[in-house]
Amino acid sequence: MSAVTITDHNTISGVLEIAERPDVFVSCEYAVYFPEDRCKVHVLAHDITPAQHEQLIEARQNIFEFTNYLNANTIAHACAHPLFGPNDRLNPAHIEQLVLLYKVWEWNGDVAPEMNQAMQAIVHGLSEDKLCALSERHGIAPQGVEPWRK
């Protein structure tokens, strides 16, 4: 490996312990919420500063503000295990919004194979037309270049 990071949940204290090494970059896995029903999802943010981390901690109560901050600050990010709802509130409408909000989805080998298969089916079934329809349904602009390609 030529680079190392640690993505603890909602903290960068672990990665800061090794941050002085030249091959380390600061990252975090954030618990982020849909504001209307408190559905929780996880989002990875990579190569951030401590000041950005503090801003992300504040913004994580609203997934839309959180994602806007990531994009406005050109922070590399991904939706972590997008079909796993940590607080059992994840529904199809949330998943459709995640399709629009996040260009990169994490493939997680530690979760049930059925979840990864379902995620692949969603990703491979996307098209520009489908994203336009989802965008109209949810009032969210798709993020990234060719956002139908995850």
mmCIF file of all heavy atoms in Angstrom, residues 5-20 24-30 48-51 53-54 57:
data_model
loop_
_atom_site.group_PDB
_atom_site.id
_atom_site.type_symbol
_atom_site.label_atom_id
_atom_site.label_comp_id
_atom_site.label_asym_id
_atom_site.label_seq_id
_atom_site.Cartn_x
_atom_site.Cartn_y
_atom_site.Cartn_z
ATOM 1 N N THR A 5 -5.362 5.283 5.660
ATOM 2 C CA THR A 5 -6.292 6.129 6.388
ATOM 3 C C THR A 5 -7.070 5.260 7.364
ATOM 4 O O THR A 5 -7.049 4.031 7.262
ATOM 5 C CB THR A 5 -7.241 6.903 5.448
ATOM 6 O OG1 THR A 5 -7.879 7.939 6.194
ATOM 7 C CG2 THR A 5 -8.276 5.992 4.799
ATOM 8 N N ILE A 6 -7.719 5.897 8.298
ATOM 9 C CA ILE A 6 -8.613 5.222 9.241
ATOM 10 C C ILE A 6 -9.947 5.946 9.151
ATOM 11 O O ILE A 6 -9.984 7.183 9.223
ATOM 12 C CB ILE A 6 -8.066 5.291 10.683
ATOM 13 C CG1 ILE A 6 -6.721 4.565 10.777
ATOM 14 C CG2 ILE A 6 -9.075 4.714 11.666
ATOM 15 C CD1 ILE A 6 -6.005 4.756 12.110
ATOM 16 N N THR A 7 -11.026 5.191 8.984
ATOM 17 C CA THR A 7 -12.348 5.815 8.891
ATOM 18 C C THR A 7 -13.203 5.380 10.075
ATOM 19 O O THR A 7 -14.136 4.598 9.937
ATOM 20 C CB THR A 7 -13.049 5.465 7.565
ATOM 21 O OG1 THR A 7 -13.079 4.043 7.412
ATOM 22 C CG2 THR A 7 -12.345 6.081 6.379
ATOM 23 N N ASP A 8 -12.880 5.909 11.239
ATOM 24 C CA ASP A 8 -13.701 5.674 12.420
ATOM 25 C C ASP A 8 -15.040 6.389 12.240
ATOM 26 O O ASP A 8 -15.164 7.309 11.431
ATOM 27 C CB ASP A 8 -13.012 6.220 13.675
ATOM 28 C CG ASP A 8 -11.829 5.371 14.106
ATOM 29 O OD1 ASP A 8 -11.846 4.149 13.870
ATOM 30 O OD2 ASP A 8 -10.885 5.935 14.690
ATOM 31 N N HIS A 9 -16.017 5.989 13.053
ATOM 32 C CA HIS A 9 -17.339 6.611 12.986
ATOM 33 C C HIS A 9 -17.349 7.936 13.748
ATOM 34 O O HIS A 9 -17.131 7.970 14.960
ATOM 35 C CB HIS A 9 -18.400 5.677 13.569
ATOM 36 C CG HIS A 9 -18.753 4.561 12.648
ATOM 37 N ND1 HIS A 9 -20.034 4.334 12.216
ATOM 38 C CD2 HIS A 9 -17.999 3.617 12.045
ATOM 39 C CE1 HIS A 9 -20.055 3.292 11.402
ATOM 40 N NE2 HIS A 9 -18.823 2.843 11.291
ATOM 41 N N ASN A 10 -17.589 9.018 12.998
ATOM 42 C CA ASN A 10 -17.805 10.357 13.547
ATOM 43 C C ASN A 10 -16.625 10.924 14.335
ATOM 44 O O ASN A 10 -16.803 11.871 15.106
ATOM 45 C CB ASN A 10 -19.073 10.394 14.419
ATOM 46 C CG ASN A 10 -20.300 9.989 13.642
ATOM 47 O OD1 ASN A 10 -20.467 10.366 12.494
ATOM 48 N ND2 ASN A 10 -21.149 9.193 14.258
ATOM 49 N N THR A 11 -15.446 10.371 14.161
ATOM 50 C CA THR A 11 -14.267 10.902 14.848
ATOM 51 C C THR A 11 -13.028 10.714 13.973
ATOM 52 O O THR A 11 -12.959 9.765 13.183
ATOM 53 C CB THR A 11 -14.046 10.235 16.222
ATOM 54 O OG1 THR A 11 -12.901 10.838 16.855
ATOM 55 C CG2 THR A 11 -13.832 8.745 16.117
ATOM 56 N N ILE A 12 -12.088 11.625 14.132
ATOM 57 C CA ILE A 12 -10.804 11.491 13.436
ATOM 58 C C ILE A 12 -9.664 11.295 14.432
ATOM 59 O O ILE A 12 -8.499 11.321 14.054
ATOM 60 C CB ILE A 12 -10.525 12.698 12.516
ATOM 61 C CG1 ILE A 12 -10.523 14.014 13.285
ATOM 62 C CG2 ILE A 12 -11.528 12.732 11.356
ATOM 63 C CD1 ILE A 12 -10.068 15.230 12.490
ATOM 64 N N SER A 13 -9.991 11.068 15.691
ATOM 65 C CA SER A 13 -8.944 10.961 16.711
ATOM 66 C C SER A 13 -7.992 9.805 16.433
ATOM 67 O O SER A 13 -6.780 9.934 16.673
ATOM 68 C CB SER A 13 -9.550 10.851 18.110
ATOM 69 O OG SER A 13 -10.378 9.714 18.205
ATOM 70 N N GLY A 14 -8.477 8.693 15.938
ATOM 71 C CA GLY A 14 -7.601 7.553 15.651
ATOM 72 C C GLY A 14 -6.617 7.847 14.538
ATOM 73 O O GLY A 14 -5.414 7.607 14.675
ATOM 74 N N VAL A 15 -7.099 8.397 13.437
ATOM 75 C CA VAL A 15 -6.205 8.677 12.312
ATOM 76 C C VAL A 15 -5.245 9.819 12.652
ATOM 77 O O VAL A 15 -4.108 9.837 12.157
ATOM 78 C CB VAL A 15 -6.991 8.949 11.012
ATOM 79 C CG1 VAL A 15 -7.705 10.285 11.038
ATOM 80 C CG2 VAL A 15 -6.092 8.832 9.791
ATOM 81 N N LEU A 16 -5.646 10.734 13.519
ATOM 82 C CA LEU A 16 -4.725 11.816 13.901
ATOM 83 C C LEU A 16 -3.518 11.289 14.669
ATOM 84 O O LEU A 16 -2.457 11.920 14.655
ATOM 85 C CB LEU A 16 -5.452 12.885 14.713
ATOM 86 C CG LEU A 16 -6.435 13.749 13.932
ATOM 87 C CD1 LEU A 16 -7.111 14.750 14.861
ATOM 88 C CD2 LEU A 16 -5.763 14.456 12.760
ATOM 89 N N GLU A 17 -3.652 10.128 15.309
ATOM 90 C CA GLU A 17 -2.519 9.540 16.032
ATOM 91 C C GLU A 17 -1.390 9.112 15.099
ATOM 92 O O GLU A 17 -0.243 8.993 15.522
ATOM 93 C CB GLU A 17 -2.989 8.355 16.866
ATOM 94 C CG GLU A 17 -3.845 8.762 18.044
ATOM 95 C CD GLU A 17 -4.221 7.585 18.933
ATOM 96 O OE1 GLU A 17 -3.483 6.567 18.948
ATOM 97 O OE2 GLU A 17 -5.245 7.698 19.619
ATOM 98 N N ILE A 18 -1.719 8.877 13.827
ATOM 99 C CA ILE A 18 -0.687 8.461 12.862
ATOM 100 C C ILE A 18 -0.538 9.467 11.721
ATOM 101 O O ILE A 18 0.176 9.222 10.749
ATOM 102 C CB ILE A 18 -0.979 7.051 12.297
ATOM 103 C CG1 ILE A 18 -2.321 7.009 11.548
ATOM 104 C CG2 ILE A 18 -0.931 6.005 13.407
ATOM 105 C CD1 ILE A 18 -2.557 5.728 10.758
ATOM 106 N N ALA A 19 -1.191 10.613 11.821
ATOM 107 C CA ALA A 19 -1.261 11.578 10.721
ATOM 108 C C ALA A 19 0.073 12.215 10.361
ATOM 109 O O ALA A 19 0.210 12.768 9.270
ATOM 110 C CB ALA A 19 -2.286 12.657 11.034
ATOM 111 N N GLU A 20 1.055 12.138 11.251
ATOM 112 C CA GLU A 20 2.344 12.749 10.932
ATOM 113 C C GLU A 20 3.121 11.945 9.887
ATOM 114 O O GLU A 20 4.061 12.449 9.290
ATOM 115 C CB GLU A 20 3.193 12.925 12.202
ATOM 116 C CG GLU A 20 3.795 11.645 12.762
ATOM 117 C CD GLU A 20 2.804 10.762 13.536
ATOM 118 O OE1 GLU A 20 1.695 11.212 13.835
ATOM 119 O OE2 GLU A 20 3.156 9.606 13.818
ATOM 120 N N VAL A 24 -0.160 8.937 5.208
ATOM 121 C CA VAL A 24 -1.467 8.923 5.874
ATOM 122 C C VAL A 24 -2.293 10.135 5.450
ATOM 123 O O VAL A 24 -1.770 11.241 5.353
ATOM 124 C CB VAL A 24 -1.295 8.912 7.410
ATOM 125 C CG1 VAL A 24 -2.633 9.099 8.112
ATOM 126 C CG2 VAL A 24 -0.642 7.611 7.852
ATOM 127 N N PHE A 25 -3.585 9.894 5.194
ATOM 128 C CA PHE A 25 -4.514 10.993 4.978
ATOM 129 C C PHE A 25 -5.707 10.804 5.911
ATOM 130 O O PHE A 25 -6.077 9.697 6.259
ATOM 131 C CB PHE A 25 -4.938 11.131 3.514
ATOM 132 C CG PHE A 25 -5.611 9.927 2.925
ATOM 133 C CD1 PHE A 25 -7.007 9.872 2.858
ATOM 134 C CD2 PHE A 25 -4.874 8.860 2.423
ATOM 135 C CE1 PHE A 25 -7.640 8.768 2.311
ATOM 136 C CE2 PHE A 25 -5.503 7.766 1.869
ATOM 137 C CZ PHE A 25 -6.899 7.712 1.811
ATOM 138 N N VAL A 26 -6.290 11.909 6.337
ATOM 139 C CA VAL A 26 -7.361 11.907 7.337
ATOM 140 C C VAL A 26 -8.701 11.647 6.662
ATOM 141 O O VAL A 26 -9.048 12.283 5.666
ATOM 142 C CB VAL A 26 -7.395 13.248 8.103
ATOM 143 C CG1 VAL A 26 -8.555 13.296 9.086
ATOM 144 C CG2 VAL A 26 -6.059 13.473 8.819
ATOM 145 N N SER A 27 -9.458 10.700 7.230
ATOM 146 C CA SER A 27 -10.776 10.350 6.728
ATOM 147 C C SER A 27 -11.703 10.046 7.893
ATOM 148 O O SER A 27 -11.256 9.892 9.030
ATOM 149 C CB SER A 27 -10.697 9.109 5.823
ATOM 150 O OG SER A 27 -9.876 9.341 4.710
ATOM 151 N N CYS A 28 -12.990 9.929 7.589
ATOM 152 C CA CYS A 28 -13.970 9.621 8.622
ATOM 153 C C CYS A 28 -15.203 8.996 7.972
ATOM 154 O O CYS A 28 -15.515 9.293 6.821
ATOM 155 C CB CYS A 28 -14.364 10.905 9.349
ATOM 156 S SG CYS A 28 -15.435 10.651 10.774
ATOM 157 N N GLU A 29 -15.882 8.129 8.709
ATOM 158 C CA GLU A 29 -17.184 7.614 8.287
ATOM 159 C C GLU A 29 -18.232 8.272 9.182
ATOM 160 O O GLU A 29 -18.222 8.086 10.399
ATOM 161 C CB GLU A 29 -17.267 6.096 8.415
ATOM 162 C CG GLU A 29 -18.601 5.551 7.947
ATOM 163 C CD GLU A 29 -18.638 4.038 7.847
ATOM 164 O OE1 GLU A 29 -17.567 3.405 7.730
ATOM 165 O OE2 GLU A 29 -19.755 3.484 7.869
ATOM 166 N N TYR A 30 -19.101 9.054 8.547
ATOM 167 C CA TYR A 30 -20.089 9.843 9.282
ATOM 168 C C TYR A 30 -21.461 9.183 9.256
ATOM 169 O O TYR A 30 -21.897 8.688 8.213
ATOM 170 C CB TYR A 30 -20.219 11.238 8.660
ATOM 171 C CG TYR A 30 -18.968 12.057 8.774
ATOM 172 C CD1 TYR A 30 -18.019 12.055 7.757
ATOM 173 C CD2 TYR A 30 -18.727 12.827 9.904
ATOM 174 C CE1 TYR A 30 -16.855 12.802 7.865
ATOM 175 C CE2 TYR A 30 -17.570 13.578 10.017
ATOM 176 C CZ TYR A 30 -16.636 13.560 8.992
ATOM 177 O OH TYR A 30 -15.486 14.298 9.110
ATOM 178 N N ILE A 48 -9.543 14.920 4.535
ATOM 179 C CA ILE A 48 -10.138 16.111 5.133
ATOM 180 C C ILE A 48 -9.198 16.719 6.169
ATOM 181 O O ILE A 48 -8.297 16.050 6.667
ATOM 182 C CB ILE A 48 -11.499 15.786 5.789
ATOM 183 C CG1 ILE A 48 -11.354 14.698 6.868
ATOM 184 C CG2 ILE A 48 -12.530 15.397 4.728
ATOM 185 C CD1 ILE A 48 -12.609 14.413 7.666
ATOM 186 N N THR A 49 -9.451 17.965 6.482
ATOM 187 C CA THR A 49 -8.704 18.641 7.539
ATOM 188 C C THR A 49 -9.516 18.555 8.834
ATOM 189 O O THR A 49 -10.733 18.330 8.795
ATOM 190 C CB THR A 49 -8.487 20.124 7.192
ATOM 191 O OG1 THR A 49 -9.755 20.782 7.184
ATOM 192 C CG2 THR A 49 -7.782 20.290 5.842
ATOM 193 N N PRO A 50 -8.879 18.780 9.968
ATOM 194 C CA PRO A 50 -9.650 18.836 11.215
ATOM 195 C C PRO A 50 -10.754 19.898 11.185
ATOM 196 O O PRO A 50 -11.843 19.681 11.712
ATOM 197 C CB PRO A 50 -8.589 19.134 12.273
ATOM 198 C CG PRO A 50 -7.352 18.470 11.727
ATOM 199 C CD PRO A 50 -7.424 18.763 10.236
ATOM 200 N N ALA A 51 -10.500 21.036 10.551
ATOM 201 C CA ALA A 51 -11.529 22.080 10.456
ATOM 202 C C ALA A 51 -12.714 21.596 9.614
ATOM 203 O O ALA A 51 -13.877 21.843 9.957
ATOM 204 C CB ALA A 51 -10.937 23.356 9.875
ATOM 205 N N HIS A 53 -13.570 18.496 9.256
ATOM 206 C CA HIS A 53 -14.242 17.487 10.082
ATOM 207 C C HIS A 53 -15.251 18.151 11.013
ATOM 208 O O HIS A 53 -16.382 17.672 11.145
ATOM 209 C CB HIS A 53 -13.218 16.681 10.880
ATOM 210 C CG HIS A 53 -13.829 15.796 11.904
ATOM 211 N ND1 HIS A 53 -14.567 14.675 11.582
ATOM 212 C CD2 HIS A 53 -13.838 15.879 13.264
ATOM 213 C CE1 HIS A 53 -14.999 14.107 12.700
ATOM 214 N NE2 HIS A 53 -14.570 14.817 13.728
ATOM 215 N N GLU A 54 -14.869 19.239 11.651
ATOM 216 C CA GLU A 54 -15.783 19.935 12.565
ATOM 217 C C GLU A 54 -17.016 20.438 11.818
ATOM 218 O O GLU A 54 -18.140 20.341 12.329
ATOM 219 C CB GLU A 54 -15.069 21.077 13.286
ATOM 220 C CG GLU A 54 -14.023 20.612 14.275
ATOM 221 C CD GLU A 54 -14.554 19.616 15.309
ATOM 222 O OE1 GLU A 54 -15.667 19.837 15.844
ATOM 223 O OE2 GLU A 54 -13.861 18.626 15.588
ATOM 224 N N ILE A 57 -19.202 17.399 11.071
ATOM 225 C CA ILE A 57 -19.907 16.956 12.287
ATOM 226 C C ILE A 57 -21.161 17.810 12.490
ATOM 227 O O ILE A 57 -22.234 17.290 12.808
ATOM 228 C CB ILE A 57 -18.967 17.007 13.514
ATOM 229 C CG1 ILE A 57 -17.968 15.844 13.469
ATOM 230 C CG2 ILE A 57 -19.754 17.002 14.825
ATOM 231 C CD1 ILE A 57 -18.576 14.458 13.634
#
